[in-house]
Structures are given as structure tokens and as C-alpha cells.
Amino acid sequence: MQEVSLDGPVSADQALLWRDDSLLLLDQRRLPRDEVFIVCRDARATADAIRTMVVRGAPAIGIAAAYGVVLAARDRYARDPQGWRGALEEDLQLLAAARPTAVNLLWAIARLRTVIGDLGGGDPAPRLLDEALAIHRQDRADNLRMGDFGAGLITGRSAVITHCNTGGLATGGWGTALGVIRAAYSQGKIERVYADETRPWLQGARLTAWELVRDGIPVELMADSAAAARMAAGGVSWVIVGADRIAANGDVANKIGTYGLAVAARHHGVKFMVAAPTSTIDPATLDGAAIPIEQRPAEEVLQCAGQPIAAAGAGVWNPVFDVTPATLVDAIVTELGIIERPDADKIAHHLAKV
Ligand code: MRU
């Protein structure tokens, strides 16, 4: 894969760039040490980048896949201006299979499929690029809206806990849960952020801390296992997380460890907020049990930063997401408003606004 660097420092809102007819993805595996972009020129490279975590975070995965469809259509049309639609199907399947849990991936591909269905003759790439750019822009705008909604739920001034990375790096910009945190901090409502380091990929330590330190928002990292003790110590009002898929009954799939945070939060009287765009709600998935949970390679747990850390011969269970039941969620915050104490009726009512 070709790598490029920008002239100056990279901002968290530049995780995905469309430049010179190619998709540039900030290689999040190498942050915070290196600010290097991987160049994707076709669907296969884009799918590989999604699968190998160059780009990650549900909304960002969806945006990357949208650009991947543009690259695929350009390629297929150049090779066969008449029969490109049939050949493109293979690329759409490849992109859709890159990661299984984040429903934004399927949502974005479905949006481009609709555009493809409406296209007449000629090169499909310009029209598809317009749609991918619109998805990208819209995601950032939606995050700003949900940031304001979420900040409105926070009263007083306190600390919050967050998990994984849900910032500009994981989205089209600004962030979901981190967008709420940014908005609430700017309103003087957040004293500090406790960020779980988020084993095994360390999205909290490497990415969330990178974003918050750059913003000047006080952040303290903690081992994931420290979160319950931190709640017991007091001073934390909310746990604020993102989501990879929200089922029709309000159950939430998010980074492994989220469920434990929700259980601990309820025990300690700490509120639990999920911030996600409406595209993360999947009405076709009835409940959390129906959400496909991605299992990743054993090496991710057996190693840390590429170094073996485990006793040889140990087995590994490595689901990278878990499901938090709706009953443990105080609020789902979207760009269209807040769903308090979510259930199937409230989710259906919310989706009727779309
Ligand atoms: O495995 P990852 O890094 O893609 O997991 C990301 C998360 O779990 C995020 O919390 C979720 O995608 C929401 S990002 C706005």
C-alpha cells in the first residue's frame, strides 16, 4: 500500500480525505506516533483498510465504504462501460463484508446502491462521488447537532467516563460521544474526561487521548478494569459512549467493555449515554442477540504493540464488541433528538422522523 504524509500536522477531522481521485486514510494503527495516510485506489484496498483497522469507528467505516464504491464504479466502468453494474456487485459484497458489526457500513452501501439504481448511462463515478461527499459532510453536521443535544443532558460540572474512540477519527468529524464531550466541555460542564485505554487495540490510549490533548481537554487514562472503582470514588456523572449498531429495541452494540461500564454505572447511580447518528439504528435487527459480533484474531490479545505478552499455549476469546441491554441505557442521543430510556416503541417513533 502506498503511504503519503501531509505537509503540516494532521487534525482529527482529517481521518478520511478525497484527494486526486483517491481515498486517503489516516493510518490509525500508527497513531499517535506517526501521522501517515494510506492511499486507496480501488475497492479491494478500501476493504482491506477497513478490515485491518487503518480506518475504524462505525461512521468512519461507512464513509470509507462509500468512497470505496466510487473507486469500484470508476474501475468497473472503465473496463466495461456497458456491463459495469453486474461486475460492481462483487465489489459491493467485498466492502460490505469488511467488518460485520458496524451497521453504518451497510447503510452507506445501501445509499450508494439507491443512487446506482437511479443512474442513466455514462460514467457513474461523478454522481457517486457527490453522494459519498454528501454522506461525509452530513456525518460531521449530524455530530455537531448530537453534541448539542447530548451536552444539554449534562447538568452541573463533573467528570465523565468514555470508552474506545468516538471522535473525529471515528467519524466524518467532531465525533459522537466525543462530540458531546467537546460541546459539554465548551459549556463548562466537564471537569475532566476519564478515558478507558480500551484493550486490545488501545483506541482510548492512542486515539481519544490524542484528540483530547490536542483540544486542551483534561484527560486521564485508566485501565479498563479501573472504571468501576473510578465511579465508586465519586465525581463522575455520566458514562458517554458511541455505538456500532443499535437494535430496534434499543439494545446497543459497542466496543467490548461497554456493557461492563453500563452495569457499573447503574450500580453507582452514574448515568449512561449513547451518542450515535440515526444511521446506526438498524430496524432490521430486532434485538441485541441478533447483532453479529465481530471476533478478531487471537494475536490481538496475545500481544501488545506487537510484542508477545501471554503465556504460550493460552487460548483467547476476542469478541471486539458487546451488547448493552436497552434497560441500562439512560439516553440515546442522535442528530434528530434524544431517546430517553429507549425501548422498541420509542425507537420506532424516532425512526418515523427520518
Ligand atoms: O473496533 P473499532 O475501533 O472500530 O470500534 C469503534 C467503536 O466501538 C466506537 O465506539 C463506535 O464505532 C462508535 S464511533 C463514533
Side-chain angles (χ1 to χ4, degrees):
M1 280 193 203
Q2 190 196 339
E3 290 178 11
V4 294
S5 299
L6 300 187
D7 287 340
V10 174
S11 87
D13 280 13
Q14 292 178 304
L16 303 107
L17 299 172
W18 183 262
R19 294 259 168 104
D20 301 327
D21 291 331
S22 299
L23 173 63
L24 269 53
L25 295 172
L26 180 59
D27 191 344
Q28 299 191 29
R29 301 167 305 183
R30 292 173 60 178
L31 287 173
R33 190 146 65 179
D34 303 317
E35 297 175 4
V36 173
F37 289 80
I38 300 284
V39 183
C40 299
R41 295 201 172 84
D42 57 29
R44 183 162 297 280
T46 310
D48 281 351
I50 294 171
R51 200 184 55 258
T52 60
M53 310 274 289
V54 171
V55 59
R56 32 65 49 202
I61 289 170
I63 296 163
Y67 287 120
V69 175
V70 178
L71 296 169
R74 183 181 67 190
D75 197 31
R76 295 296 182 179
Y77 179 78
R79 284 198 256 165
D80 182 358
Q82 309 309 326
W84 64 272
R85 286 170 201 265
L88 182 67
E89 190 52 39
E90 194 184 313
D91 302 318
L92 299 185
Q93 300 290 341
L94 185 73
L95 287 163
R99 289 191 74 188
T101 305
V103 77
N104 309 61
L105 173 64
L106 306 177
W107 172 87
I109 293 172
R111 253 182 79 159
L112 292 200
R113 261 188 207 284
T114 304
V115 174
I116 291 167
D118 293 344
L119 283 173
D123 185 355
R127 177 64 193 90
L128 292 173
L129 179 58
D130 284 348
E131 188 70 5
L133 290 167
I135 289 173
H136 195 165
R137 270 195 307 272
Q138 186 66 46
D139 188 64
R140 189 173 196 282
D142 288 350
N143 288 340
L144 288 164
R145 289 172 63 87
M146 85 180 71
D148 288 340
F149 282 129
L153 288 172
I154 301 172
T155 50
R157 181 173 160 81
S158 67
V160 298
I161 292 177
T162 193
H163 192 61
C164 195
N165 170 264
T166 61
L169 293 169
T171 63
W174 189 245
T176 56
L178 220 55
V180 171
I181 289 169
R182 287 188 158 112
Y185 181 78
S186 73
Q187 296 169 15
K189 294 174 170 177
I190 291 185
E191 227 162 55
R192 69 188 56 254
V193 179
Y194 291 102
D196 285 345
E197 61 178 356
T198 320
R199 270 286 286 159
W201 271 85
L202 302 177
Q203 289 94 331
R206 296 186 304 102
L207 309 178
T208 298
W210 185 76
E211 292 201 34
L212 291 177
V213 167
R214 282 177 170 225
D215 278 7
I217 299 178
V219 54
E220 288 186 27
L221 280 168
M222 56 186 182
D224 300 355
S225 46
R230 191 64 206 72
M231 291 182 214
V236 174
S237 60
W238 285 88
V239 172
I240 309 176
V241 297
D244 282 77
R245 191 181 301 215
I246 299 173
N249 71 342
D251 291 350
V252 174
N254 191 49
K255 178 55 55 194
I256 190 75
T258 303
Y259 172 41
L261 281 177
V263 171
R266 184 57 56 91
H267 180 77
H268 292 97
V270 171
K271 298 278 189 108
F272 189 84
M273 185 193 308
V274 176
T278 303
S279 54
T280 303
I281 303 177
D282 179 15
T285 300
L286 291 187
D287 58 25
I291 299 176
I293 299 294
E294 178 180 8
Q295 298 273 341
R296 291 189 65 91
E299 290 68 40
E300 294 182 354
V301 176
L302 295 172
Q303 302 176 353
C304 194
Q307 298 303 312
I309 53 168
V316 170
W317 186 56
N318 187 21
V320 296
F321 300 101
D322 58 24
V323 174
T324 299
T327 49
L328 293 178
V329 177
D330 290 292
I332 294 176
V333 176
T334 79
E335 78 285 6
L336 298 178
I338 298 168
I339 310 166
E340 290 196 64
R341 299 185 178 276
D343 61 22
D345 286 345
K346 290 180 189 172
I347 295 280
H349 185 255
H350 179 82
L351 289 176
K353 295 183 196 169
V354 178

